[in-house]
Amino acid sequence: MDRANHPQHGGNRRYWAERYGFHESEMVDLSTGINPHGWSVPAIPAEVWQRLPESDTDLLKIAADYYGTETLLPVAGSQAAIQTLPRLRTFSRVAVLDPSYSEHMRGWELAGHEVLKIGSDQIESLLPGLDVLVLVNPNNPTGELFSREELLRWHQQLADRGGWLVVDEAFMDATPEHSLCMLDRPRTGLIILRSLGKFFGLAGIRSGFVFATPIFLERMERLLGPWSLSHPAQWATKQVLCDHSWQSEMRDRLVVESGRLSELLRSAGLSPEGGSSLFQWLTTPQAAAITNSLAEQGVLIRLFKESSSIRFGLPGSANEWERLESALSGAELLRDVA
């Protein structure tokens, strides 16, 4: 398989470790934006592994309490929804924020739609000619946060002519007060995606939710088919969404650690231009060279080639903080950036 022909994402630590001559365990992976202090999943009862997943009213009630709405559909992570949504529309003109999560653009292109890459400053002018607008909020990797008021205004303009606003809130759990999930009612043409991968640090269970009108969710459920969310994923999702004390403590902790990361980068001559509680982001003409230099020292970050930008996730231990600081100090080219 030629990796050059596939979209690049964070992770793939084994591949990058081999490329740079490290054992996988020696690499500090800061490339994903996943919470390094993820919720610790307790032992899962044996029967959960042995039974097919069923419709679980407790899961729906717990999720409705956490997200603030009952119009939801459990899915195998937001990726399942991203791949399914384009199949629910006839040919459309779709705008996707750039830079952003590349799978959104890929999904709509593979389904045969016309896809435009746009910057956030182009939304207002291009909106009248669009059928679908896809945003990540807060955006990955820039951290740009769109207000509820402007999102609803854009949605209304699209919905008036049968269009959609798709909002991917994968990084919203650290700032739930900005979510669109807690609107007074579901709205036709507004689709919101959530995932347990980032804030909860549970990317491996592939669990998430789609929020939309009941009619739309019925269409999506029929296309997804049975057993879209595994029984272990359902079980773990119920436990973590009920752990309110962990959620509150983690939100406070991530704010502190994200600030620490920002200061560390600034001290190395790299000034973040955006970010969230889980990552820091900046543009630089030397983005590729910095990424390579850090990887040669066993520290993996996320490179965005087209925008010449880099994203740093949070280190997960004292040793990883030290490794990052050392790698930044050891990168000769950073002296020219400062």
Side-chain angles (χ1 to χ4, degrees), residues 253-307:
R253 179 177 185 176
L254 292 177
V255 169
V256 172
E257 295 198 0
S258 184
R260 178 183 176 184
L261 177 59
S262 177
E263 288 304 311
L264 176 58
L265 294 175
R266 291 180 193 281
S267 69
L270 298 173
S271 297
E273 301 164 45
S276 74
S277 294
L278 288 167
F279 60 82
Q280 294 292 323
W281 173 83
L282 60 103
T283 59
T284 169
Q286 296 177 309
I290 291 170
T291 301
N292 183 67
S293 177
L294 295 182
E296 288 177 339
Q297 300 174 77
V299 176
L300 183 61
I301 62 173
R302 176 71 164 91
L303 170 66
F304 295 84
K305 291 182 180 179
E306 290 190 12
S307 58

Side-chain angles (χ1 to χ4, degrees), residues 7 16 72 86 95 120 172 193 222 224 238 292 331:
W16 294 112
L72 55 90
S120 58
M172 187 61 79
L193 313 181
R222 285 197 298 269
L224 286 169
K238 286 189 292 185
N292 183 67

Side-chain angles (χ1 to χ4, degrees), residues 129-140:
L130 300 178
D131 300 306
V132 179
L133 174 61
V134 181
L135 302 174
V136 181
N137 193 40
N139 189 33
N140 168 30

Side-chain angles (χ1 to χ4, degrees), residues 148-199:
R148 182 178 296 187
E149 291 72 26
E150 62 186 342
L151 289 172
L152 292 179
R153 179 164 50 83
W154 294 337
H155 159 257
Q156 192 60 58
Q157 292 180 53
L158 289 161
D160 284 345
R161 55 178 185 274
W164 292 356
L165 174 64
V166 180
V167 183
D168 182 347
E169 295 187 346
F171 286 92
M172 187 61 79
D173 295 87
T175 54
E177 66 275 12
H178 297 295
S179 174
L180 285 178
C181 289
M182 292 182 284
L183 294 174
D184 55 346
R185 57 181 173 81
R187 307 188 183 197
T188 300
L190 178 61
I191 301 105
I192 306 164
L193 313 181
R194 294 292 287 265
S195 169
L196 270 66
K198 302 300 184 181
F199 174 76

Side-chain angles (χ1 to χ4, degrees), residues 219-231:
R219 290 180 62 205
M220 175 169 274
E221 187 173 23
R222 285 197 298 269
L223 195 56
L224 286 169
W227 311 313
S228 63
L229 187 60
S230 73
H231 201 174

